[in-house]
Amino acid sequence: MYQVDKERQAPIIPPVPAPKGLKFFSGTWSGRIIILNTIIFILHSLYDGNFLNPSSESLVAWGAKDNFLLVEGQLWRFLTPIVLHVGLIHYAFNNWALYALGYQIEHLIGKRWFVALYLLSGIGGNIASSLFSLGLSAGASSSLFGLLGAGFYLERVVGARLNKDYGKAARPSMYSGMVIANLVLGFMIPQIDNAAHIGGLLSGVTLAYVLLRMKPNRLLALNPKRSKIVLGFFLVSLVLGGGLASSKIFLKERLNLAYLTAEEPRAQFRYLTQILRLSPDDDDAKLARLELSLRYGNYSIAKVDFFQLMQSSRNDVPLNQVESKLIQDGHMEAAEVLRQLRSATKSK
């Protein structure tokens, strides 16, 4: 928003009244996406049996972003999370935001660009989530941040043009405030997938930049060559990012780093289990989980890892080292359990 005097000024991009009632849901893509989200939410909730807090298993079954399944080749999970929501509150908030924001952007850029922006921002956000977050993820927020990014960029361009033509000084604007507020909120709430939000935001800004240099407008001179280069770079980045995010080697390195930096034994155990899910023959992970399981009395898991390790004679020395570390740290009972397991194996 821009101001030249002390009187209150209208928004730099004035809001456009959305069609009322059925005209909104049948005549706009914003409304059609809300209908699709609603249908998916109802069907998924009936499937899960819980409208407020669906299980992780049902979210995965219905298309949530899951890094392990992406590695297995289920690349459609870069797209499907944008129509899937984690409970009633999540669904209601995202679809209210789409109702409030969607038609404004759809009116500004046109229906085709709006659909492309919504889908590509959602995919971009989910790829970013896969690259930087190890947890399950679902929701339309990556696409919504793409709309915010487009609105933010359009506001900057309009403001720059007004400043150039009329000398109006800039003041805080609606889209800037929404972007900052939502990013701050994301960093305050641990469950929010900030990587998806930032990925969607950057996708929206990039596509708005391309749009204003490809589609005739009164703000900027057209530059089809530059717009095609930027668009090509963006699409190549999606392909490369998606390829890296679905790489087994990359995911394993991230899990190893997460294990090494985790301080809580429960988190360490979870990451080791995920590494073994990805690479069942990783003896180093088995040894680490064996030691952790023995230290904290999870002897059933320890026995599983132990007998798998004993299939290879080269693990004798590492097992000696595990036993010595347990004794050194005062875990005498755990060391005795390991000693008994080894003795029983040798007697056979």
Side-chain angles (χ1 to χ4, degrees):
M1 300 173 73
Y2 287 76
Q3 183 175 335
V4 292
D5 54 35
K6 295 183 179 180
E7 297 181 2
R8 185 176 180 181
Q9 302 296 309
I12 194 169
I13 300 180
V16 180
K20 301 296 183 181
L22 292 177
K23 289 184 179 179
F24 173 78
F25 293 104
S26 63
T28 72
W29 277 103
S30 304
R32 292 166 189 157
I33 293 171
I34 291 175
I35 290 175
L36 177 61
N37 289 343
T38 303
I39 292 172
I40 297 297
F41 173 73
I42 293 172
L43 292 176
H44 172 242
S45 298
L46 291 172
Y47 171 87
D48 182 85
N50 191 329
F51 281 75
L52 295 175
N53 189 26
S55 67
S56 298
E57 291 77 14
S58 73
L59 288 168
V60 171
W62 279 68
K65 184 222 77 178
D66 181 293
N67 293 17
F68 296 93
L69 295 178
L70 286 169
V71 168
E72 292 177 9
Q74 297 185 18
L75 301 184
W76 43 269
R77 291 181 183 272
F78 288 132
L79 175 63
T80 51
I82 68 175
V83 296
L84 182 67
H85 289 87
V86 188
L88 180 61
I89 295 175
H90 189 214
Y91 157 80
F93 181 83
N94 275 353
N95 284 276
W96 173 83
L98 179 55
Y99 176 80
L101 176 66
Y103 184 72
Q104 308 302 312
I105 303 299
E106 184 175 348
H107 177 81
L108 285 171
I109 67 176
K111 295 180 182 296
R112 292 183 179 179
W113 273 95
F114 174 81
V115 173
L117 173 68
Y118 192 87
L119 293 177
L120 289 174
S121 296
I123 292 171
N126 287 324
I127 289 174
S129 173
S130 302
L131 288 170
F132 297 103
S133 171
L134 291 169
L136 290 178
S137 181
S141 54
S142 55
S143 292
L144 294 173
F145 264 83
L147 301 183
L148 280 177
F152 169 80
Y153 183 75
L154 290 170
E155 230 172 20
R156 299 277 71 74
V157 171
V158 172
R161 184 60 184 265
L162 289 176
N163 189 36
K164 178 181 178 181
D165 292 348
Y166 304 104
K168 292 187 176 182
R171 68 177 185 180
S173 57
M174 179 181 72
Y175 288 102
S176 298
M178 292 173 69
V179 167
I180 293 171
N182 279 280
L183 288 176
V184 170
L185 185 65
F187 284 104
M188 292 174 61
I189 302 176
Q191 292 82 5
I192 290 180
D193 190 344
N194 277 306
H197 289 183
I198 294 172
L201 179 69
L202 294 177
S203 297
V205 170
T206 302
L207 291 170
Y209 177 93
V210 171
L211 167 65
L212 287 182
R213 286 155 181 80
M214 186 176 291
K215 184 176 180 179
N217 62 84
R218 291 180 293 175
L219 298 172
L220 294 173
L222 297 185
N223 193 329
K225 182 177 179 179
R226 182 188 297 178
S227 66
K228 289 178 181 179
I229 292 173
V230 174
L231 181 60
F233 178 81
F234 172 72
L235 295 176
V236 169
S237 297
L238 290 186
V239 172
L240 294 178
L244 186 61
S246 57
S247 163
K248 179 178 178 179
I249 296 174
F250 179 74
L251 179 55
K252 187 174 180 180
E253 287 300 317
R254 291 180 58 212
L255 290 170
N256 274 315
L257 179 61
Y259 160 68
L260 292 172
T261 56
E263 298 181 356
E264 296 183 358
R266 185 174 298 179
Q268 293 173 339
F269 184 87
R270 181 175 68 251
Y271 292 129
L272 287 170
T273 301
Q274 290 174 337
I275 291 171
L276 289 170
R277 175 185 172 184
L278 197 64
S279 299
D281 297 328
D282 189 328
D283 284 354
D284 290 335
K286 289 177 187 174
L287 280 164
R289 193 173 71 168
L290 169 65
E291 181 181 345
L292 197 64
S293 300
L294 288 168
R295 284 177 180 272
Y296 294 96
N298 193 345
Y299 297 141
S300 59
I301 296 295
K303 289 179 182 179
V304 171
D305 289 334
F306 172 80
F307 286 116
Q308 289 183 359
L309 287 165
M310 288 304 296
Q311 295 176 10
S312 173
S313 59
R314 66 185 180 86
N315 289 317
D316 285 341
V317 172
L319 286 170
N320 288 334
Q321 294 172 347
V322 169
E323 186 176 332
S324 298
K325 286 177 65 178
L326 291 172
I327 294 173
Q328 182 179 351
D329 294 341
H331 295 277
M332 306 307 295
E333 180 182 337
E336 180 60 27
V337 170
L338 179 56
R339 191 179 298 115
Q340 291 174 3
L341 287 172
R342 299 183 71 185
S343 298
T345 304
K346 289 178 180 178
S347 63
K348 290 180 180 181

